[in-house]
Amino acid sequence: MNNSYYETIDKNFNEALRLMEKSFSYQELIIMLKDGNIPQKQLAALSLNELKSSEDAEILLNNLVGQDGKIREAVSLKIRELTAIPNYKKYFLSLEKEILTQYFLDAIIDINGNICRNILDTIIYFKHNEDFVNLFISKLIKLTNSLINKINDFDYKTGKYIVNKEVFKLYWCLEAINVYYDKIPSQELKNILLLLKTVEEYTIREKAAQILTHDYTDTEILAFKDELINDENYYVRRIFKS
């Protein structure tokens, strides 16, 4: 890496140290979240302990995607913390559901696993909002099916790295399905589970096994569960023993 890369890191680190020595008002934190640079936005997100309006919630949400990884991770952590509190969760729910669900879905398949996990923990707090759940599930099902088809159509000889990126996304989509498995229409869930039988990656079979630890009566699903109980991979089999 060239010298300018390390110079930028040093500059951001030094500015972060300088900012940590100061205290900021709520409004100053919101302004930094809206218009600040990387250290300012990161510090503002971590320092924010409340929300006062849906507009402020939207400013925080806008930093969840399309920003530097340090900002995205700090914002995902703060959203997880704030949505656990009903008085602050209501500000997110007052936002346009199309925007809210898309931001959360994009964050669940972020390249940074910590961000994925933070937003997975966040959507648990939205399970009782029917409008959010229905729209989020619709998007999640569409994305999951698309990823499965993409992985199955991929020529492994031409680029393992590319398919690994898609497997990583599918892994986290299945984590989200496990959170909302009881909200997903049974036929849609069955279709996804049976499609997963064609995916060779053991990490995906492991996630399928996790979903199948819940109670089902469908014979085809139960047959797939029996396959995974006896899977050749230890990490898949152990899901049913934990």
Side-chain angles (χ1 to χ4, degrees), residues 184-199:
I184 299 174
S186 57
Q187 188 59 49
E188 296 278 13
L189 182 59
K190 176 180 176 178
N191 291 343
I192 288 172
L193 286 169
L194 296 183
L195 269 177
L196 291 175
K197 293 178 70 173
T198 63
V199 180

Side-chain angles (χ1 to χ4, degrees), residues 69-87:
K70 297 183 185 67
I71 298 172
R72 301 197 314 276
E73 184 167 354
V75 168
S76 70
L77 176 63
K78 188 55 58 174
I79 288 176
R80 188 190 75 185
E81 291 177 357
L82 293 175
T83 52
I85 303 170
N87 282 345

